[in-house]
Amino acid sequence: MSYAARFSLSLGRLAAAVFLSLVFTTLLLLVSGAPPLHTFAILFAGGIGSVAKLGQTIAVWIPLVLCSSALLLTFAPGLWNIGIEGQIILGAIFATGFLRPFPAGASPLVLAGALIAGMIGGAFWAYIAGVLRTWGRVHEIFGGLGLNFVALGLTLWLIFGPWRRPGVASMSGTEPLHPSLWLKGIKGFSLSPVSLVLALLAIFLVIYLLRSTRWGLSLKAVGQNPEAALLYGLKPNKRIVEAMALCGALAGLAGALQVVGVYHRLLPAISSNYGYTALLVTMLASFRPNLIPPICFFFAVLNVGSIQLPLQLKLDSSLSGVIQGVLVLSIFLVHGLEERWQLLRRQK
Amino acid sequence: MFPRILRLGIVFLLVLAVGCAEKPEEKSFIFGMLMVGPFNDRGWSQAHYDAGLYVESKLPGVKMLYLDKVNPADRPGLTLPQVVDDLVSKGARLIIANSDDMKDGIREAAKQHPDITFIHVSGDDVLTKKAPPNLSNVMGRMEYGKMMAGFVAALTTKTGKIGYLGPLINEETRRLASSSFLGAAYAWQQVRKRPLDELKFKVSWIGFWFNIPGVTADPTQVANRFFDGGYDVVISGIDTTEALVVATQKRKAGREVWAIPYDYKGACQGADEVCLGVPYFNWGPAYLTSVKAVRDGTWKQTWEWNGPDWNDINNEDTSGVGFLNGPALSTEVAAKLDSFVQGLATGKINVFQGPIFYQDGTPFLVAGETASDQKVWYMPQLLKGMEGASGPK
């Protein structure tokens, strides 16, 4: 199939999935007695209704894009890097640790160092999952899930223990960073241009690596046929660990940005579940890089807009999560129906 | 290229579908309320929510906008300055942030919106001079409510063991746990005439204001451990009602136990067998005053620590804190509580009177000394006679 044909097929599936989930959500709203059209309007206005809101939406889009494009690297060799959540957390921990010696502030150079520290932290955590998979024969889903719990445990221990606020024992978070160590946004706009540039660089880097390098090609070969890849000397195990580490580095960057750009401290919920959301995004995009930015944008609008549901309609904001989940289920359903239909056609 | 056009198209369609940005309503006065827990938690947050409704009912034309569950665990990715921006764009002129946890966020937001008035509940930014000029602090003198809770607990317990289900550890929670202990110690020694070393008073902290699964200790388990360990009265210091729920379960299993919830006037409802009463906050009067002042342009920055109205601690228009007797409180203890409250009101009884020692044995108050507000507010440790951590280990 040609590129354009495959692309429009993905798009067609996506459209069908969007339609299915809209039908489902509308039914849900009707059952709960909320006016569907009005609800959708408020939800979307909450995400893009003003310049400030658009800024918030893009601030959510950034970590989502970082993580989703990172996941393209691990999906290429067929890895389910569910441990991305923990890799974000480790990035946040490393960045916080890097900034702790500067309670009175420091230069932007230190801030850059914190971002790099975050990338190292994420890469380190993903490397462990990769080695567990290739050397320890632990499937990356189980290894990743385990490491996610360890990462959360580590955060809790740091917040409650060595990094606690003086005289306070609370799970709430560490002491806020000195304002000179905040990655600040443009005035009146909760969005840092630095983060935006980094996210754009990340997606372009991933597209370049996967489409235009030998390394990217060998990753895909490993994903499609590990035995053959081994015979051709593509070193599948090495590729897997590399893909994991690079994915972890981008996730770690997202975590570091959460610390310096969003919360300005380390807290238990620092990852904001963006890792899991990114897994949904990547599946919904059928692993196509082109679809990552728009789907991330759509998810970010839902995330930011969901605040308006309790604020204006007294509805629970988890509706946005329901829409996201149903979307992913729908795309699998569409895939499944397609296969069924083809099977039926062949039998005739 | 096709995909790029498509991407633009999606954005364009979304913008088109929505059409217009929201406009703030201009007719009435709007205030915003940010609550850390669910608005119907039968605890800390609901007390604030009800106070907001109280203000709406007293001042026609005043409207409350609220968002609950404002914490990073419940609303991933949301920051306080963002929500504040949103409330301001919807026309809020006064914003009340109801949690200790919002201290840094609300200060940041207040600096970004110098023309909007902010109230941070339970904070001390005004005392520490960290507050910008448009930020006030409000708190209730819950010490009194907690003394009453400790008092009835000590008169009710049969095992002589009282458990205190604590949230996180900071100055506020040390102060409140210690007040409960002092109330209990008074009842134990002065009313029951028994030596203090026969009373066990244990504090167990969960790590946050309410249960966050996987993050905090589970308050249900902590309460269970208390009751199973022979503690027959549990005083709750957290935002939610687990102590009451567990006590009710134990009662159904035939155990003679009691609990004392916290924060919300209606907390005892549905727990008739076990609820001894509830020390609660009545934020209504303070909020009413603030809303009026901001609306009329007479608002001034303050640090308020509002006590009970000693003429009637349960007067909803005047009393900052109160104690509502519960259905499980015996008439005998209720009568003794009345005279205790009388004593507090007239000043005849002051449980914050030396000699009192900190947990490590150093003096908190020397013989005859009474505690200043400052000394009570900033307690660095629990008191001698209390079991449990005073701070992070």
Side-chain angles (χ1 to χ4, degrees):
Chain A
M1 240 190 299
S2 74
Y3 175 83
R6 273 183 294 140
F7 188 79
S8 20
L9 197 62
S10 305
L11 217 60
R13 289 192 193 116
L14 193 59
V18 169
F19 179 74
L20 262 178
S21 56
L22 277 181
V23 169
F24 180 80
T25 323
T26 308
L27 284 175
L28 198 71
L29 286 171
L30 285 174
V31 169
S32 58
L37 276 180
H38 188 53
T39 307
F40 286 127
I42 282 182
L43 190 56
F44 290 115
I48 50 178
S50 69
V51 178
K53 294 229 167 73
L54 200 62
Q56 286 179 23
T57 299
I58 297 174
V60 173
W61 181 82
I62 288 165
L64 280 182
V65 161
L66 277 170
C67 296
S68 311
S69 45
L71 284 170
L72 290 174
L73 292 172
T74 44
F75 272 119
L79 297 169
W80 285 81
N81 182 20
I82 204 162
I84 189 162
E85 196 69 23
Q87 291 147 26
I88 302 174
I89 296 176
L90 257 284
I93 290 177
F94 270 51
T96 311
F98 189 86
L99 294 174
R100 277 185 63 79
F102 308 99
S107 75
L109 215 61
V110 172
L111 205 51
L115 296 182
I116 293 169
M119 293 179 76
I120 293 172
F124 162 66
W125 214 239
Y127 178 81
I128 297 179
V131 170
L132 276 175
R133 155 77 196 249
T134 53
W135 185 80
R137 292 174 180 265
V138 178
H139 195 281
E140 71 275 4
I141 290 185
F142 302 115
L145 270 179
L147 285 166
N148 288 352
F149 279 108
V150 178
L152 179 61
L154 191 60
T155 318
L156 296 179
W157 174 70
L158 286 169
I159 291 174
F160 216 63
W163 293 359
R164 63 177 178 252
R165 304 176 80 150
V168 174
S170 164
M171 283 303 176
S172 138
T174 59
E175 190 83 26
L177 300 169
H178 188 270
S180 71
L181 295 173
W182 298 5
L183 199 56
K184 289 209 186 67
I186 310 157
K187 193 147 176 65
F189 211 60
S190 58
L191 167 70
S192 150
V194 178
S195 315
L196 185 58
V197 169
L198 287 172
L200 291 172
L201 277 179
I203 181 108
F204 283 120
L205 173 76
V206 169
I207 292 177
Y208 168 75
L209 283 175
L210 287 179
R211 288 214 176 131
S212 315
T213 64
R214 216 185 125 73
W215 184 78
L217 205 64
S218 61
L219 274 191
K220 284 186 225 164
V222 170
Q224 271 154 20
N225 193 339
E227 281 82 24
L230 191 66
L231 289 176
Y232 280 102
L234 294 176
K235 300 194 183 108
N237 282 353
K238 196 160 174 247
R239 294 291 96 86
I240 282 176
V241 173
E242 285 166 356
M244 287 293 279
L246 194 53
C247 172
L250 292 179
L253 178 61
L257 289 173
Q258 285 288 99
V259 170
V260 297
V262 180
Y263 289 114
H264 311 133
R265 55 182 182 146
L266 182 66
L267 39 90
I270 192 74
S271 73
S272 302
N273 292 334
Y274 288 151
Y276 294 128
T277 312
L279 278 163
L280 297 187
V281 169
T282 323
M283 285 187 261
L284 198 55
S286 312
F287 318 117
R288 306 192 67 88
N290 291 351
L291 292 176
I292 296 281
I295 295 178
C296 282
F297 186 77
F298 183 61
F299 273 42
V301 168
L302 287 178
N303 268 23
V304 173
S306 69
I307 293 304
Q308 302 306 320
L309 299 177
L311 208 51
Q312 295 190 44
L313 294 171
K314 317 273 178 258
L315 281 178
D316 200 275
S317 55
S318 50
L319 185 72
S320 285
V322 173
I323 298 180
Q324 291 170 349
V326 171
L327 257 174
V328 176
L329 285 180
S330 306
I331 197 107
F332 283 129
L333 191 63
V334 170
H335 270 291
L337 288 177
E338 225 177 301
E339 272 169 28
R340 243 188 122 81
W341 185 61
Q342 275 163 1
L343 206 69
L344 274 176
R345 231 176 27 166
R346 242 174 282 153
Q347 279 170 349
K348 264 180 201 166
Chain B
M1 205 172 75
F2 180 52
R4 194 176 301 156
I5 292 170
L6 187 93
R7 241 170 283 161
L8 281 173
I10 289 177
V11 175
F12 181 72
L13 273 179
L14 285 174
V15 175
L16 209 72
V18 170
C20 56
E22 312 125 60
K23 282 167 260 155
E25 288 171 42
E26 278 160 38
K27 288 172 283 182
S28 56
F29 182 90
I30 300 174
F31 70 98
M33 176 88 75
L34 300 174
M35 290 168 280
V36 67
F39 75 93
N40 54 358
D41 65 357
R42 305 183 61 74
W44 174 260
S45 287
Q46 191 161 358
H48 290 269
Y49 177 73
D50 283 7
L53 296 182
Y54 170 86
V55 173
E56 280 185 336
S57 74
K58 291 280 170 183
L59 297 175
V62 169
K63 202 177 141 234
M64 165 171 66
L65 278 178
Y66 70 90
L67 186 65
D68 63 348
K69 299 196 268 184
V70 181
N71 69 77
D74 278 319
R75 301 200 185 279
L78 187 74
T79 64
L80 214 59
Q82 277 178 17
V83 200
V84 167
D85 284 349
D86 206 348
L87 290 178
V88 170
S89 77
K90 290 187 167 61
R93 307 287 308 148
L94 164 72
I95 288 168
I96 300 167
N98 94 337
S99 178
D100 151 69
D101 205 38
M102 301 174 180
K103 191 177 203 169
D104 303 303
I106 209 68
R107 191 193 305 139
E108 199 184 324
K111 284 178 183 161
Q112 287 167 8
H113 297 279
D115 49 337
I116 305 290
T117 309
F118 291 83
I119 295 176
H120 179 227
V121 176
S122 83
D124 61 355
D125 269 8
V126 175
L127 281 185
T128 58
K129 311 250 185 275
K130 285 184 188 165
N134 54 330
L135 173 67
S136 272
N137 293 128
V138 175
M139 187 56 182
R141 287 181 189 265
M142 183 43 78
E143 290 64 35
Y144 291 113
K146 287 289 187 180
M147 286 171 205
M148 296 167 201
F151 183 88
V152 299
L155 290 189
T156 305
T157 177
K158 297 196 167 163
T159 60
K161 291 166 96 175
I162 299 170
Y164 190 92
L165 178 60
L168 48 87
I169 314 178
N170 67 9
E171 281 144 355
E172 174 188 335
T173 63
R174 277 193 289 264
R175 170 192 346 137
L176 294 178
S178 299
S179 303
S180 299
F181 169 71
L182 289 176
Y186 181 89
W188 193 255
Q189 293 172 295
Q190 308 296 324
V191 184
R192 288 183 84 162
K193 307 286 183 201
R194 293 176 64 176
L196 191 56
D197 52 13
E198 283 177 15
L199 175 73
K200 259 181 107 70
F201 190 100
K202 184 178 174 182
V203 186
S204 286
W205 309 99
I206 65 162
F208 197 63
W209 299 105
F210 47 81
N211 184 33
I212 305 174
V215 174
T216 61
D218 181 352
T220 302
Q221 274 180 22
V222 176
N224 260 305
R225 235 177 290 143
F226 270 134
F227 290 126
D228 293 346
Y231 292 80
D232 59 352
V233 184
V234 171
I235 303 175
S236 173
I238 65 174
D239 286 7
T240 46
T241 56
E242 281 86 349
L244 213 52
V245 174
V246 174
T248 305
Q249 287 165 358
K250 296 281 170 196
R251 269 279 165 170
K252 297 231 160 86
R255 301 271 303 278
E256 201 177 10
V257 296
W258 297 268
I260 302 176
Y262 177 38
D263 293 320
Y264 172 60
K265 199 173 184 176
C268 278
Q269 236 171 48
D272 290 3
E273 292 169 293
V274 296
C275 193
L276 292 178
V278 57
Y280 66 92
F281 289 100
N282 181 34
W283 304 102
Y287 291 167
L288 187 66
T289 315
S290 298
V291 168
K292 272 189 199 155
V294 176
R295 191 189 58 182
D296 305 341
T298 57
W299 182 88
K300 280 193 187 66
Q301 182 178 52
T302 50
W303 179 76
E304 279 178 38
W305 201 9
N306 300 316
D309 174 357
W310 287 116
N311 293 318
D312 174 7
I313 62 170
N314 293 314
N315 184 330
E316 71 161 357
D317 298 319
T318 53
S319 195
V321 295
F323 186 94
L324 206 62
N325 292 0
L329 191 71
S330 72
T331 41
E332 191 191 339
V333 174
K336 285 175 178 148
L337 175 64
D338 281 344
S339 49
F340 181 63
V341 174
Q342 263 316 293
L344 290 173
T346 54
K348 275 195 192 128
I349 300 173
N350 182 355
V351 299
F352 275 103
Q353 187 165 24
I356 300 177
F357 296 91
Y358 287 125
Q359 218 176 20
D360 68 357
T362 55
F364 166 50
L365 299 168
V366 296
E369 183 189 0
T370 53
S372 64
D373 275 2
Q374 191 89 359
K375 225 167 168 174
V376 174
W377 184 274
Y378 290 113
M379 281 182 72
Q381 280 185 46
L382 297 179
L383 302 175
K384 199 175 153 193
M386 300 171 78
E387 204 184 315
S390 266
K393 285 184 201 91

